[in-house]
Amino acid sequence: MTAGVQQPSPTAAELKTKFERRLQEIAARVDGVMGYAVLDLTSGDRFGRLEREVFPTASTIKLAIVYELFKQVDEGRLRLDQTLTLDRRHAVGGSGVLAAMGTPTLSVRDYATLMVMLSDNTATNVLIDLAGMDNVTRRMAGLGLNATKLRRRMADLDAARRGDENVSTPAEIVRLLEALYGPAETGPNEPQAGPSQPQTGPRRPEKLSATSRDEAIALLKQTKTSRLRKGLAAGVETADKPGELEGVRVDAGIVFAKKRPYILCVMTTYLKDEAEGERAIEEASRAAYDYFSRLGAGLQFGRQIGR
């Protein structure tokens, strides 16, 4: 437990039980399948349902692309300010604006911004080819995320029909966001600092530098429409990436709740009604924020002085 955090009381344990039950009830109401994973970045507590099961990621796989891009920046293999002229062979439909923009010349940072803010599929395909599809999956394996696989470009229906879907699990998406959150890579004589459960052993070389970590988080905090954000109070920052496909809705992010940051990933599939999946993500996000904001504002026995 992080230094300075008071030991939870039995009443806090009851609040935790009610939060777990609330999430389970939300998932049970979905006409389809809903899995989720939640990590308390202060205590290390984890919550989950079907958290180790594989789901389609839709555009939430772009979190893995963001991680790979910034890791390659750290390795000196690419620069965020290097420019690329759009090759029209990358242009695809769906979300975004680049497909309608001819052959603009943009920086890698600009392509990444379009990928995250507008979920631009054309920008994403440019970055997949730049970073390397296999490199992304290998990097995820280096983090121990063996179920997280980038196997097709955006809007490639033929690949999807072959079974080459982009996939992950709720628990692995949370672990990826935990890696983005910190701790950053440090020198051999520098102390490690960051949230609970620092990574050790063979995973250490996969950490981002402090500069890349901060830039990646800032990129993911950029304004966007997401159901996870709709479940939060006004002004609460989150670094997230939603995704949607036919019968699939996903959202995952780091929520910077006051004094109690947390990570939430909700994945839904086999949806009869996609709007129902969107509502479930929003409800789960609201339930998580209600829980963690009260922990952040409360003293040991729950008095809400900081609210």
Side-chain angles (χ1 to χ4, degrees):
M1 181 171 291
T2 303
V5 176
Q6 297 175 342
Q7 292 294 326
S9 67
T11 48
E14 173 67 10
L15 186 68
K16 177 179 175 181
T17 298
K18 287 185 174 182
F19 169 53
E20 292 180 285
R21 188 181 304 126
R22 187 174 172 188
L23 288 179
Q24 291 165 3
E25 290 169 352
I26 293 167
R29 288 198 302 268
V30 173
D31 189 359
V33 180
M34 172 175 156
Y36 58 81
V38 188
L39 170 62
D40 183 338
L41 287 165
T42 301
S43 71
D45 283 346
R46 293 178 188 266
F47 309 82
R49 174 187 173 111
L50 301 178
E51 68 271 27
R52 294 182 178 85
E53 299 304 320
V54 174
F55 287 75
T57 56
S59 285
T60 302
I61 196 65
K62 294 169 186 178
L63 292 170
I65 299 170
V66 168
Y67 192 95
E68 177 63 22
L69 286 174
F70 280 95
K71 190 60 185 172
Q72 289 195 20
V73 169
D74 286 344
E75 294 168 345
R77 296 164 62 186
L78 60 83
R79 303 187 324 275
L80 293 176
D81 60 356
Q82 73 186 70
T83 57
L84 298 168
T85 299
L86 176 62
D87 184 334
R88 293 301 300 176
R89 289 177 297 179
H90 288 115
V92 293
S95 56
V97 296
L98 273 184
M101 290 182 63
T103 57
T105 298
L106 302 172
S107 68
V108 171
R109 179 181 283 105
D110 289 341
Y111 281 111
T113 299
L114 288 169
M115 177 179 73
V116 169
M117 287 186 68
L118 301 181
S119 208
D120 193 297
N121 287 331
T122 298
T124 305
N125 286 347
V126 170
L127 295 176
I128 287 173
D129 280 1
L130 177 66
M133 187 180 302
D134 292 341
N135 290 336
V136 174
T137 295
R138 276 195 295 268
R139 188 79 66 183
M140 295 301 101
L143 290 168
L145 309 181
N146 295 306
T148 303
K149 300 181 186 298
L150 175 66
R151 299 192 290 200
R152 63 167 178 81
R153 292 175 176 82
M154 301 300 107
D156 187 345
L157 290 178
D158 289 338
R161 291 188 180 105
R162 289 195 304 268
D164 291 332
E165 192 55 81
N166 299 325
V167 295
S168 187
T169 71
E172 288 201 2
I173 294 292
V174 165
R175 287 169 57 195
L176 173 57
L177 286 165
E178 187 181 8
L180 278 167
Y181 181 79
E185 184 70 274
T186 61
N189 299 317
E190 295 176 294
Q192 294 289 328
S196 60
Q197 301 184 355
Q199 297 169 359
T200 59
R203 297 183 190 178
R204 184 179 178 190
E206 297 297 338
K207 295 174 186 173
L208 298 179
S209 68
T211 298
S212 285
R213 177 195 61 191
D214 292 347
E215 286 201 53
I217 293 295
L219 174 64
L220 293 170
K221 283 182 176 180
Q222 294 277 4
T223 301
K224 65 179 74 72
T225 300
S226 82
R227 290 292 169 171
L228 188 154
R229 294 187 180 208
K230 286 181 179 293
L232 306 177
V236 176
E237 288 190 315
T238 182
D240 74 314
K241 185 69 191 78
E244 59 181 61
L245 290 169
E246 305 90 339
V248 174
R249 292 294 186 270
V250 181
D251 208 342
I254 307 163
V255 179
F256 296 88
K258 185 177 180 181
K259 298 183 181 179
R260 204 76 181 205
Y262 61 93
I263 300 173
L264 170 67
C265 173
V266 182
M267 307 184 82
T268 65
T269 190
Y270 291 108
L271 294 170
K272 183 176 181 180
D273 179 1
E274 286 97 351
E276 186 178 0
E278 293 170 1
R279 287 192 296 271
I281 292 171
E282 184 176 343
E283 289 176 17
S285 178
R286 184 171 295 109
Y289 181 73
D290 285 348
Y291 174 67
F292 287 107
S293 62
R294 275 185 274 186
L295 291 183
L299 299 181
Q300 182 180 8
F301 297 102
R303 183 178 176 184
Q304 303 284 288
I305 289 177
R307 184 154 62 188

